[in-house]
Amino acid sequence: MVRYAGIEGGGTTFVMALGSGPEDLSTPIVFPTEEPERTLERVVEEIRRAGDVDAVGVASFGPVDLRRGSHTHGNILETPKPGWSGTSVVGFVQQAVGLPVGFDTDVNGAALGERRWGAAQGLESFIYLTVGTGVGGGGVNRGQPMHGLNHPEMGHMRIPRHPDDDFPGTCPFHGDCLEGMAAGVAIEARWGRRGEDLGPQTAPAVELEAWYLGTALANLCLSLSPERIILGGGVTKLPHLLDGVRQRFLDSLNGYVTIPEVLDVGSFIVAPALGSRAGVLGALVLAERALHPAP
Ligand code: ZN
């Protein structure tokens, strides 16, 4: 039986597990994202310790270089994360363990996991938007992880402001882009406390979140015509947020789209099904794809 090493490389922690799917997954090992060499050494150490691994998959924080033929393919691109800009993740791991290494963004990885075992089974094209500390977007198009020239950066799309909102936004590049207005960092800056501690400010915070996220999902529906949108990440655990997003999504479309699958908004905009295991499970799919590349 094949065995893969799946690694979810986050900006704060790395999560790693071995197996071939949800029924056959080792207890994930979690370790902090320190300086690159030390972190990747730990990955290599765990793979060697496990032995008997056929391929490795890494679903990484970004931005990353996924361009075919690029001499920096598999690297982390320019990032504010100290020391990580230019780190060759694929090169480091491949050279150390001599195994095929699949690589993609964390959100494209999670999307592949949801397609195989979760909320997007049987779908050829869907979007996965995750709202945590930042906002990441990706998904699958015609059965393949969503790539263009490189990978999408949906978190930085521009969204019209809520009419009563004068918050400047927290994105260092754009101020009030989607991430700058709706990510966890923005919630903390706007309300002075984290999403789970909002108390009486929860309802107004949820209204604003629903506005920005619902509008963003309408834009994604209009521009990419996915079969479904999965909305995940810590921020989406705010009470009643998903209902608010669905309502704002419909209000923003304002009757323009009449396709029944879209109007059945409870099935069109859904939560992830794999929970915190989506990242490592998706990384297993990346490993499998590296072992058996599509013709
Ligand atoms: Zn931005």
Side-chain angles (χ1 to χ4, degrees), residues 189-215:
R190 183 198 290 276
W191 302 100
R193 58 190 72 190
R194 293 163 62 89
E196 57 269 37
D197 305 322
L198 285 170
Q201 291 165 323
T202 301
V206 166
E207 189 190 330
L208 288 175
E209 284 298 308
W211 168 277
Y212 290 109
L213 294 173
T215 313

Side-chain angles (χ1 to χ4, degrees), residues 156 171 174 177:
H156 294 273
C171 177
H174 316 115
C177 67

Side-chain angles (χ1 to χ4, degrees), residues 52-139:
D52 200 19
V53 170
D54 297 287
V56 180
V58 184
S60 174
F61 74 90
V64 295
D65 190 349
L66 302 175
R67 294 171 295 169
R68 282 169 194 266
S70 162
H71 70 282
T72 53
H73 183 274
N75 287 15
I76 307 278
L77 294 173
E78 196 63 35
T79 169
K81 182 92 188 147
W84 281 84
S85 296
T87 296
S88 173
V89 175
V90 173
F92 189 102
V93 175
Q94 216 160 36
Q95 205 163 14
V97 298
L99 294 170
V101 179
F103 186 66
D104 213 310
T105 62
D106 43 10
V107 65
N108 272 349
L112 289 173
E114 290 289 342
R115 181 168 184 251
R116 176 72 64 85
W117 297 292
Q121 290 178 57
L123 301 186
E124 285 297 297
S125 62
F126 65 95
I127 288 165
Y128 190 125
L129 195 78
T130 178
V131 191
T133 312
V135 179

